Amino acid sequence: MSHSNTTVFTNPSTFILLGIPGLEVAHVWISVPFCTMYTIALFGNFAILFIVKMEPSLHGPMYYFLCMLAVTDLVLSTTTLPKMLSIFWFSSREIDFSACLTQLYFIYCYVVMESGIFVAMAFDRYVAICDPLRHSTTLTNPMVAKIGLVAALRGSILVMPYPILARQRPYCRTNIIPHTYCEHMAVVKLACTDISISSYYGLFVLLSVHGLDVIFIAISYAQILRAIFSLPTKDARLKTFGTCSSHFCAILAFYIPMIFTSLIHRFGKNVPLHFHILTANIYLLVPPMLNPIIYGVRTKQIRGRLLWLFTHKRS
């Protein structure tokens, strides 16, 4: 394949992922915390799935949604980390054009799915605290399955235009992507035609999905906090707030890096490229690592089951 800037190739056979431009000499050192985060994410999320499966007392809506979150985090981190580490360790920078678009699709699909799961978890906490008598009849197992299916379909359908539009464009600038993974705008910017449709659609997905999800979560927690502060005693308020504190921490771990990365991407024109790429990677790696830690530490049932497993194993 020609690497000339003037050659037009509608479907390039490969793209070249540079990793983190400007920090090539530090790639091996950067890989250490990234690999550590990935290992923790794998162990933690598989542990959540195992504990919920083995413990009958955890077979309820909150923990079913937590399992959906764990699966989403496993797919999201595994979609990016193995290729990233191969760039850092072995300088394996080539990625097939179709594989690049597949990676792009899975990243954004599962980011949208994760946002939808957080909305579902907020709704679960809202019903459990504000209308506890109807919780078991509202969030039945079939209803939980339907909510999970809607979250999956929403992500799959809304993100589908990303790879479709990217595949239809001619590429004539270069096949070099200054990134560690196939980030949407980094790929379409290589096209030699107008990319405004892809840019505007990406902004539409960002605002319509994450914007609306944040609004729904904020409304749910406003109602939850109002119900909590109306309780008669301090102990009752603390105990009730403790049932949703894990979810609240996980929301912050997901949305704060996402908002920060989006602001840098759209308004940080003077921000160094390597800083932008590092923040984009942290956004994809930190939530999958933190979510099982947050729920393992803050959720009494999961923490107790983990301690029982380790002590039982030693005995």
Side-chain angles (χ1 to χ4, degrees):
M1 180 185 65
S2 174
H3 288 223
S4 171
N5 288 344
T6 59
T7 302
V8 177
F9 36 95
T10 303
N11 287 322
S13 60
T14 58
F15 281 128
I16 307 297
L17 293 168
L18 290 184
I20 306 177
L23 296 179
E24 289 86 355
V25 295
H27 273 178
V28 174
W29 296 106
I30 294 171
S31 71
V32 174
F34 280 15
C35 185
T36 302
M37 286 190 284
Y38 182 52
T39 303
I40 295 172
L42 287 179
F43 173 78
N45 285 293
F46 274 121
I48 292 289
L49 293 172
F50 175 77
I51 289 170
V52 173
K53 182 179 185 300
M54 299 301 295
E55 182 58 55
S57 65
L58 301 181
H59 293 177
M62 174 181 172
Y63 299 101
Y64 290 149
F65 288 134
L66 181 57
C67 287
M68 295 178 195
L69 185 67
V71 171
T72 302
D73 283 338
L74 286 169
V75 175
L76 192 58
S77 55
T78 302
T79 301
T80 54
L81 236 296
K83 180 59 184 177
M84 195 185 306
L85 293 178
S86 73
I87 296 171
F88 292 160
W89 291 345
F90 311 113
S91 297
S92 177
R93 294 184 169 89
E94 287 195 358
I95 183 170
D96 183 77
F97 178 70
S98 296
C100 182
L101 297 186
T102 302
Q103 184 191 56
L104 181 156
Y105 175 76
F106 271 91
I107 289 171
Y108 290 95
C109 174
Y110 277 85
V111 165
V112 173
M113 285 173 58
E114 182 151 346
S115 184
I117 292 169
F118 278 126
V119 174
M121 295 172 84
F123 177 67
D124 169 67
R125 291 299 84 203
Y126 165 76
V127 177
I129 293 172
C130 298
D131 196 3
L133 296 179
R134 297 182 60 187
H135 183 257
S136 60
T137 56
T138 301
L139 285 166
T140 60
N141 287 346
M143 179 57 68
V144 170
K146 289 176 183 177
I147 292 173
L149 181 61
V150 168
L153 288 175
R154 185 183 71 154
S156 303
I157 294 171
L158 284 177
V159 177
M160 185 61 71
Y162 283 16
I164 292 176
L165 291 173
R167 182 176 288 277
Q168 291 176 346
R169 301 189 184 283
Y171 295 84
C172 60
R173 294 194 174 106
T174 180
N175 67 334
I176 297 174
I177 302 174
H179 217 296
T180 54
Y181 61 87
C182 292
E183 195 261 341
H184 177 228
M185 291 309 298
V187 173
V188 299
K189 282 180 180 178
L190 303 181
C192 51
T193 57
D194 180 47
I195 62 169
S196 58
I197 294 177
S198 293
S199 180
Y200 289 138
Y201 185 75
L203 184 61
F204 163 76
V205 171
L206 177 67
L207 295 176
S208 64
V209 172
H210 300 301
L212 290 177
D213 286 355
V214 168
I215 291 172
F216 289 144
I217 291 171
I219 292 172
S220 296
Y221 268 91
Q223 298 298 317
I224 288 170
L225 290 175
R226 189 174 71 173
I228 289 174
F229 287 124
S230 66
L231 294 173
T233 65
K234 181 180 179 181
D235 288 343
R237 289 194 291 269
L238 290 175
K239 184 178 180 180
T240 305
F241 184 75
T243 63
C244 58
S245 59
S246 300
H247 179 237
F248 187 71
C249 292
I251 287 172
L252 294 179
F254 178 75
Y255 284 105
I256 289 178
M258 182 198 70
I259 293 171
F260 183 66
T261 302
S262 298
L263 290 175
I264 288 178
H265 180 73
R266 297 191 180 278
F267 304 109
K269 303 300 181 183
N270 297 322
V271 175
L273 179 60
H274 66 265
F275 184 78
H276 166 69
I277 295 173
L278 282 172
T279 55
N281 284 303
I282 289 172
Y283 161 56
L284 292 180
L285 293 177
V286 170
M289 176 194 71
L290 285 183
N291 287 338
I293 294 175
I294 291 170
Y295 281 97
V297 172
R298 300 289 303 175
T299 307
K300 181 180 178 181
Q301 294 91 332
I302 294 177
R303 183 174 68 247
R305 186 64 177 176
L306 270 174
L307 292 173
W308 183 87
L309 282 174
F310 283 117
T311 55
H312 180 75
K313 198 170 188 179
R314 281 199 296 268
S315 63

